[in-house]
């Protein structure tokens, strides 16, 4: 069983420490003590809770697609030259950057403040873990 301190659980789920404590107080998550005697929650239980309660903004495009990794967010910056463009989006806590043609940017009407959906379909996903370090 991997235990996470309350502050780490809060950071990983994007909520406050007090929210995680409320989850524990309400019985949504079980309380544990880590090796130092500090309040902690089970990582697997937290992951299951995050999956059950997570919601993403609705995709405004209404397009059906096979890609499951979709991030709705706001365009924060567009840098274009005559041929190519770099589009940055803020999708919740995630910054997503896409390179595309300047023509595509014009056709999609992308500019800071636009709502857009970043769709990621990749055959390679790299997963890393901290090397024996506490979060």
């Amino acid at each position: 069983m991997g235990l996470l301190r309350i502050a780490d659980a809060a950071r990983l789920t994007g909520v406050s420490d007090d929210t995680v404590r409320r989850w524990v107080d309400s019985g949504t998550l079980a309380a544990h003590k880590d090796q130092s005697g500090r309040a902690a929650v089970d990582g697997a239980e937290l992951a299951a809770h995050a999956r059950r309660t997570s919601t993403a903004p609705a995709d405004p495009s209404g397009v059906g697609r096979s890609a499951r990794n979709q991030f709705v967010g706001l365009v924060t910056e567009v840098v274009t030259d005559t041929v190519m463009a770099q589009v940055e989006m803020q999708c919740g806590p995630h910054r997503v950057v896409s390179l595309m043609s300047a023509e595509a940017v014009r056709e999609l009407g992308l500019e800071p403040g636009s709502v857009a959906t970043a769709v990621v379909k990749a055959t390679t996903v790299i997963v890393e873990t901290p090397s024996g370090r506490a979060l």
Side-chain angles (χ1 to χ4, degrees):
M1 169 171 67
L3 293 179
L4 295 168
R5 292 182 179 173
I6 297 294
D8 293 330
R11 185 175 47 81
L12 290 167
T13 55
V15 299
S16 69
D17 296 11
D18 288 337
T19 297
V20 175
R21 287 188 189 92
R22 281 192 294 274
W23 291 342
V24 169
D25 291 344
S26 70
T28 301
L29 293 175
H32 300 278
K33 296 283 184 189
D34 67 8
Q35 292 176 341
S36 301
R38 294 186 183 132
V41 296
D42 177 66
E45 187 180 348
L46 180 65
H49 174 72
R51 180 176 248 183
R52 277 192 315 273
T53 60
S54 69
T55 58
D59 181 350
S61 70
V63 173
R65 61 180 64 93
S66 65
R68 295 292 173 242
N69 300 313
Q70 304 167 39
F71 305 95
V72 177
L74 289 173
V75 175
T76 57
E77 185 175 11
V78 178
V79 178
T80 61
D81 64 19
T82 57
V83 178
M84 293 300 294
Q86 176 179 306
V87 178
E88 286 191 26
M89 295 175 58
Q90 194 66 40
C91 303
H94 306 288
R95 176 179 167 255
V96 178
V97 180
S98 177
L99 300 176
M100 65 184 74
S101 70
E103 178 182 16
V105 167
R106 288 189 300 274
E107 288 177 0
L108 294 170
L110 297 175
E111 59 185 25
S114 300
V115 174
T117 303
V119 179
V120 180
K121 182 125 184 175
T123 57
T124 303
V125 175
I126 298 168
V127 177
E128 298 177 338
T129 62
S131 166
R133 295 177 296 157
L135 291 175

